[in-house]
Amino acid sequence: MIRASRDLEALFCLINSTYFYLDIRLIIKKRYSCMKLRLLFFFLLPNVFMAQDFTDQWQGHFSFNRIIDLEQTDDQVYAASENALFVYDKAARSFNTITTVNGLSGDKISQIFYRESQDQLVIGYENGLIQIIQDDTVLDVVSIRDKQVISPNRKRINEFLLRGELLYIATDFGIAIYDLERFEFDDTYFIGANGAQLRVKSIEIFDGFIYAATSDAGILRADNSDPFLLDFMNWTTINGGVYDEVVALNTQIYAVGATRTIQQLVAGAFVPTGSQVPGRVIDATVFDNRVILTGNSFTQIFDSNLQLLNDIQDIAGNPAAFTAGNLSDDALFIGTLEDGMVRIDLNNTAQSEFILADGPVRNRAFSLTTSPNVLWVGYGDYNLIYNPFPLERFGISRLEDDQWTNFTNDDVQNIASISSITINPDDPDQLFINSMHNGVLEFQNGQAETLFGINNSSLTSILPPATDFVRIPDSAFDTQGDLWTLASIVADGLNRKTPTGQWSAVDLSQEFPSITRTSLTKLVITPAGTLVFGTVDEGVIAYNPGENRFGNLREGIQEGNLINNYVGELALDQNGQLWIGSNLGLRVLFGADNIVSDNIPEARPVIIEDQIGVARELLKDEAILDIEVDGNNRKWVATASSGAFLFSPSGQETIFQFTKNNSPLPSDGVNDIAIDNTSGKIYFATDNGIVSFQGDRTSAPAENLENVFAFPNPVKPGFDGNVTIDGLTDRARIKITDVEGNLVNELVSQGGSVQWDTRSFSGQAVASGVYILLISTDDNQETTVSKIMVIR
C-alpha cells in the first residue's frame, strides 16, 4: 500500500503528465509495485468499454465500395470499408458484414489487424479509437481518442505490428503499445525532438531495433530492449526525408517514401537498392517470403531478393484506384477506392473477380424516399443556402427485398446534385428525380425516360440562356395527379406537369419581388390543394391554384410568428397541422390552408417541461433537416447535430432520441428520414451511411372498419413479436377477450393500426386459444368483430 504523502504527490503529478491513463498504472507499478493501486486505477480510469449490439431492431445499409484495408487467413478475408467491414468466406464465397448495428462506432476506419491465434480483430480509426472484436463482443479502447493533450488531427491510427501479446501502434503522434491479453496500454512513445509528436506512418522490429517511418522526420530507431524508450533521447534519426513504409523481409529490412525508391538498411542507414515503384506506397504486407507494395495505381509483389514477381497496374485492362493489397498462396486480393475488393489469380493475372458485399453505392446519403417495401436513395448535396456546388454525380440506389440495385450516373443521364426523389402515388414504378442543376428526370421501371429542362417544360435556368443551372429542390403530386415542382432563384418558382404531360408555370415575382434571389426548399400540398413551400429568407409561402391567391408566414408577431424566415422543412400531419422546421427550431401551425386567408395565422412553438419541471421550447436552436409523420401521427425529426427524435402526435412527449452514442446511427447529423409504413421500417440517412429501425407497422387511419385484419394470424409457436391489428379508424378502441368473454386486454389506436404483444393486463403471455377482438370507432357509431388464434 501507498501510505506516504510524497507517494500521493507523485501520483497526482503523473495524472497531469502527457502519458495515457493506463501508462500511469504501469509507471506506478514500476515505482511502487503496488497491485492494489493498479486495481484502483483500473476502475477509476477505464479505457475499455463494451459496445452494444443492436441486431434485434436495427439493420445497417452501408456501402462497401471503398476499401480501406485488408487482412486475411487461410479461410477468410477481412475487408474494411469506410466505417464497416465485411468478412468473405473463400470456400463458401459468402459474406458476413460487421457494422454499427453490431457495435462498430461508425467513425472512419484507417487500419485493421487480425490476430488469428486468439481470433481478435483490431480496428483502428482516424480519430484514435480502437475497437477489438473477440467472441462476438466489441470492446472500445478510448484512451487515444479521448486524450485531450493530443490534437484531434494527431490521433489517426496508421499501422499495427504484433510482437507476442503486445500490439505496437503507429499513430500521427508517435507509438503506443497495447497489451492484447490484459486489455491495457503498456507504453507510449513521443519520439520527436524534445518529446515532440511525429506522424509515424509505419513501424517494424528488426534485429533488436524498433524502426519508425515518419512523414515529418525521416526514419528513427531505438534499441527495443532499452527500458527507457519513453525518453525521446534514446531514439536516433538514421535517415531524413519523408517515408511511408518500413518492412522486414527475411534477413533484410526495407523502406520506401516520397522518392519512390526502395531502400535497404546498410551499415545503420537506408540506401537505395535501384528498385523503384510507380508511385507513393500506401500499404505494405509480407507473406511467404514475399512483400506486397500497393499504391494508388499499382500493386507489386517482390521476392526476398527484391526481384519483381508481379506487377498489377489495372484490372482486366481497366484502370482502378488501389488502396490495399494482401496475398495468399495463389491469389492476390486488392482493395479499391470505388469497386470493392478484387481477387486476382496469380497463375493467370488476367483472371480477376470483383468481390463486393451488397450495399448502396456510397455512404454519404442525402435523400430517402419510400414506396411499399422499397427504399430509394439520392446522393446530391447543397449547403445552407441551397447552393449545390461543387456538383456531385453519383446516381441513385434502390433497396428492395433486402437487395441493393445501384444506378450509375450514366443511368440517370448524368444529372448532378440530386436533391430529392418523388414517387408517383398512382404508379410506384414512376419516379421524378429532382436535380439542383439539370431539372427533373422522369425515371420509369428502372430506366431514365425524359429529362425536363428549359427546352421541353416550363422550367427556367438561373443563368439564361444556359440549359443547365435549373435548380429543383423538391416536387410533389396533388390529388388530381398533377406534379408540382419548386424552382429556385427564378421568377417562375412553381411549375405544374399534368398527367397528360402539359407544363405551366406560376410567376411568384409579382407577389414576392425578391424571389429571384431566393432558394426554395420543401413543398407540401394540403388535401384541399393548397401548395405550401419553404424558402431560405422569405419564410413560408402558400398558393391556392383555384383562387390564384397567395399567403405568407414570416417571423414577427402578426406576420406568422416564425422563428426566422429560413424554413428548410415542412410536414403536414393527420390533423391538418403544418410542422415547420428552420435552422433554429420548430413551429406548428393549425390549418395550413388558412395561410391564404385574409387573417394571417400564427404559428406556435411546442412547449414542454424538462426533467426538473421548467417549461422550455421543443427543439429550440436545433437545425431541423427533416420531419416525417408516421401512420400513428407521431413525428420523426432529423437534426443536424442531435440525432433523430420520435415525438408523440402533439410533440409533448419524446418517445425516442437516437444518437451515435445510444444507437447504431453512424453520425448525429441526420440528413433525411423515410418511413415505410408497410414494413414498419424507419430509415435514417447520414453522411456516414444509412441505418434502419424496425418500428411499429403503422398506416394512415381508415374511414371505416370494413377492412380490419390482424397479422400474423395464427400466432405460431416461437413467435415473440407483436401482432398488428390494421385497417382501423383513428382512436378506435379494441377490447380483447377470450372465448368465454373475459377481458384480456384493451388498446386504443393512434392512426390506422395498433400493436398487441399477446399479453394480458398483468403482463403475462396469454395461453393458446382463440381471442376475440371487439372493435369500435371513437364515437361508437361503427363496430366490428375479428379473431386471433394463438398457438404456444
Side-chain angles (χ1 to χ4, degrees):
M1 294 180 60
I2 296 179
R3 295 187 176 90
S5 60
R6 62 178 178 83
D7 296 334
L8 292 176
E9 181 179 357
L11 173 61
F12 285 110
C13 289
L14 286 168
I15 291 176
N16 292 314
S17 74
T18 59
Y19 303 123
F20 288 121
Y21 294 154
L22 293 173
D23 295 332
I24 296 172
R25 304 207 317 264
L26 176 66
I27 296 170
I28 293 172
K29 180 183 69 172
K30 289 180 178 177
R31 292 185 179 181
Y32 302 108
S33 300
C34 177
M35 189 63 175
K36 185 172 183 178
L37 191 59
R38 285 187 69 248
L39 292 175
L40 170 67
F41 266 76
F42 182 80
F43 291 105
L44 289 179
L45 302 169
N47 82 317
V48 177
F49 302 93
M50 185 178 298
Q52 188 173 349
D53 187 292
F54 295 94
T55 51
D56 288 343
Q57 285 188 288
W58 291 82
Q59 188 174 356
H61 308 281
F62 292 88
S63 173
F64 297 94
N65 287 32
R66 183 185 295 262
I67 300 300
I68 304 301
D69 197 18
L70 299 174
E71 283 280 281
Q72 70 169 304
T73 67
D74 292 340
D75 302 320
Q76 296 176 319
V77 181
Y78 295 84
S81 63
E82 291 174 291
N83 58 355
L85 295 99
F86 70 82
V87 185
Y88 176 67
D89 188 295
K90 298 178 185 178
R93 304 173 74 85
S94 61
F95 298 94
N96 179 36
T97 61
I98 306 172
T99 71
T100 57
V101 175
N102 308 103
L104 296 193
S105 72
D107 300 307
K108 291 185 177 180
I109 296 172
S110 56
Q111 193 77 187
I112 62 173
F113 172 78
Y114 182 69
R115 186 187 184 197
E116 190 168 5
S117 63
Q118 301 298 317
D119 191 24
Q120 289 176 322
L121 179 64
V122 184
I123 307 169
Y125 292 86
E126 291 187 1
N127 66 357
L129 175 67
I130 297 172
Q131 292 190 300
I132 302 172
I133 302 177
Q134 186 174 17
D135 298 327
D136 295 325
T137 299
V138 181
L139 301 177
D140 291 346
V141 182
V142 301
S143 291
I144 296 176
R145 185 197 66 185
D146 294 348
K147 191 62 179 175
Q148 296 182 359
V149 297
I150 299 176
S151 171
N153 65 355
R154 282 277 186 176
K155 296 182 178 183
R156 188 181 194 273
I157 306 298
N158 295 319
E159 190 173 277
F160 295 113
L161 175 69
L162 184 68
R163 287 296 182 268
E165 73 280 358
L166 297 181
L167 187 65
Y168 290 75
I169 308 169
T171 75
D172 271 359
F173 62 81
I175 300 171
I177 303 176
Y178 190 79
D179 191 318
L180 286 173
E181 296 294 329
R182 295 185 296 171
F183 296 108
E184 63 182 31
F185 278 99
D186 187 278
D187 271 330
T188 303
Y189 305 146
F190 298 93
I191 63 176
N194 297 315
Q197 299 175 11
L198 296 181
R199 299 187 190 275
V200 179
K201 311 302 290 185
S202 178
I203 48 180
E204 184 62 276
I205 295 176
F206 176 77
D207 200 22
F209 288 90
I210 179 171
Y211 292 82
T214 76
S215 60
D216 38 18
I219 296 181
L220 291 79
R221 79 171 184 179
D223 187 337
N224 199 40
S225 63
D226 190 332
F228 300 107
L229 292 184
L230 291 169
D231 187 347
F232 68 90
M233 297 185 66
N234 290 323
W235 291 80
T236 303
T237 301
I238 61 174
N239 279 76
V242 177
Y243 283 86
D244 302 314
E245 290 286 348
V246 57
V247 59
L249 180 62
N250 287 344
T251 60
Q252 302 293 335
I253 184 170
Y254 300 98
V256 62
T259 65
R260 299 185 288 116
T261 299
I262 301 176
Q263 300 177 5
Q264 177 181 335
L265 184 68
V266 177
F270 285 93
V271 299
T273 62
S275 296
Q276 193 172 56
V277 290
R280 294 284 292 272
V281 172
I282 56 180
D283 185 58
T285 58
V286 173
F287 175 81
D288 191 25
N289 296 325
R290 290 171 287 178
V291 61
I292 307 97
L293 301 179
T294 299
N296 180 261
S297 61
F298 68 92
T299 293
Q300 294 186 331
I301 304 173
F302 296 86
D303 67 13
S304 59
N305 296 317
L306 216 59
Q307 298 298 307
L308 182 61
L309 300 177
N310 299 95
D311 185 7
I312 310 297
Q313 300 196 29
D314 57 56
I315 305 297
N318 298 311
F322 300 154
T323 59
N326 212 287
L327 190 63
S328 63
D329 289 328
D330 58 355
L332 172 66
F333 291 90
I334 301 176
T336 74
L337 202 59
E338 297 179 347
D339 302 309
M341 185 173 70
V342 182
R343 180 190 183 278
I344 294 178
D345 188 339
L346 289 181
N347 297 318
N348 181 6
T349 56
Q351 295 291 324
S352 59
E353 174 189 7
F354 285 95
I355 300 171
L356 183 62
D358 192 37
V361 69
R362 71 193 304 238
N363 278 328
R364 191 175 181 182
F366 188 70
S367 68
L368 304 176
T369 310
T370 58
S371 59
N373 296 310
V374 178
L375 172 73
W376 290 93
V377 184
Y379 300 104
D381 202 354
Y382 44 71
N383 63 14
L384 188 67
I385 59 172
Y386 282 66
N387 183 346
F389 284 86
L391 298 176
E392 296 183 341
R393 291 180 169 89
F394 293 100
I396 61 175
S397 297
R398 179 183 67 207
L399 176 63
E400 185 174 12
D401 296 328
D402 287 328
Q403 297 292 318
W404 283 94
T405 301
N406 294 310
F407 298 92
T408 67
N409 190 45
D410 289 339
D411 293 330
V412 295
Q413 296 191 13
N414 298 310
I415 62 174
S417 293
I418 294 171
S419 57
S420 57
I421 299 172
T422 301
I423 301 174
N424 186 344
D426 296 326
D427 182 4
D429 292 324
Q430 185 184 46
L431 314 179
F432 288 88
I433 305 173
N434 304 311
S435 164
M436 290 295 283
H437 190 66
N438 302 105
V440 179
L441 175 65
E442 182 183 0
F443 195 79
Q444 181 82 41
N445 296 316
Q447 299 288 329
E449 296 289 339
T450 305
L451 178 60
F452 294 104
I454 68 170
N455 295 321
N456 60 353
S457 73
S458 59
L459 300 175
T460 53
S461 170
I462 68 175
L463 293 175
T467 58
D468 47 16
F469 289 91
V470 182
R471 295 187 178 179
I472 310 299
D474 198 17
S475 61
F477 279 90
D478 64 17
T479 57
Q480 305 303 311
D482 294 334
L483 176 71
W484 289 88
T485 67
L486 297 181
S488 289
I489 321 182
V490 292
D492 295 338
L494 282 176
N495 295 264
R496 174 168 58 184
K497 175 185 175 294
T498 67
T500 59
Q502 301 300 310
W503 283 84
S504 60
V506 178
D507 185 352
L508 303 179
S509 64
Q510 296 297 317
E511 193 76 21
F512 306 97
S514 63
I515 203 73
T516 56
R517 301 187 300 274
T518 298
S519 291
L520 310 188
T521 60
K522 181 67 181 286
L523 171 67
V524 295
I525 304 177
T526 71
T530 301
L531 283 75
V532 185
F533 55 95
T535 70
V536 165
D537 50 21
E538 293 286 338
V540 174
I541 297 176
Y543 174 66
N544 185 316
E547 300 178 1
N548 192 30
R549 187 172 183 177
F550 291 94
N552 188 204
L553 300 181
R554 304 179 64 86
E555 62 181 329
I557 303 298
Q558 297 184 344
E559 293 188 28
N561 195 33
L562 298 184
I563 299 171
N564 57 12
N565 289 330
Y566 184 102
V567 176
E569 182 55 33
L570 296 169
L572 280 168
D573 73 8
Q574 295 166 10
N575 296 327
Q577 292 184 325
L578 180 69
W579 292 68
I580 305 166
S582 84
N583 59 339
L584 292 176
L586 180 71
R587 287 291 186 269
V588 181
L589 175 73
F590 183 80
D593 293 299
N594 294 330
I595 301 175
V596 296
S597 65
D598 292 333
N599 298 317
I600 299 175
E602 296 277 293
R604 59 176 174 81
V606 177
I607 303 300
I608 60 174
E609 288 188 358
D610 61 20
Q611 295 179 346
I612 59 174
V614 177
R616 63 179 179 86
E617 184 178 321
L618 180 68
L619 296 178
K620 182 176 175 58
D621 297 327
E622 291 283 357
I624 296 173
L625 302 186
D626 190 29
I627 305 171
E628 298 292 336
V629 181
D630 68 17
N632 288 330
N633 207 27
R634 300 175 303 183
K635 313 309 185 290
W636 292 86
V637 179
T639 70
S641 60
S642 297
F645 294 83
L646 173 61
F647 297 115
S648 63
S650 66
Q652 297 287 324
E653 178 187 357
T654 301
I655 301 170
F656 293 127
Q657 180 186 3
F658 294 133
T659 68
K660 190 172 181 292
N661 290 330
N662 68 5
S663 77
L665 279 180
S667 169
D668 285 336
V670 179
N671 297 328
D672 205 10
I673 297 174
I675 302 172
D676 184 350
N677 284 321
T678 301
S679 66
K681 286 187 176 180
I682 316 297
Y683 294 92
F684 304 92
T686 77
D687 284 350
N688 293 338
I690 302 169
V691 293
S692 63
F693 172 74
Q694 184 59 60
D696 298 337
R697 183 185 180 276
T698 61
S699 59
E703 295 182 359
N704 52 55
L705 298 177
E706 293 179 359
N707 298 308
V708 171
F709 67 99
F711 63 93
N713 191 11
V715 178
K716 297 181 179 179
F719 178 76
D720 59 357
N722 293 333
V723 172
T724 298
I725 306 167
D726 207 348
L728 303 171
T729 56
D730 190 31
R731 299 198 61 78
R733 290 192 295 274
I734 304 97
K735 294 181 182 292
I736 305 172
T737 73
D738 59 22
V739 292
E740 295 178 354
N742 298 308
L743 186 63
V744 174
N745 210 324
E746 187 171 2
L747 307 168
V748 177
S749 70
Q750 291 184 353
S753 63
V754 72
Q755 307 280 317
W756 179 40
D757 60 5
T758 69
R759 295 179 182 274
S760 66
F761 284 117
S762 66
Q764 297 296 314
V766 298
S768 296
V770 175
Y771 293 85
I772 312 300
L773 308 179
L774 305 174
I775 305 169
S776 62
T777 57
D778 187 32
D779 56 8
N780 289 317
Q781 295 299 306
E782 186 178 354
T783 62
T784 191
V785 177
S786 187
K787 298 178 181 180
I788 297 176
M789 176 177 286
V790 176
I791 306 171
R792 295 300 185 190

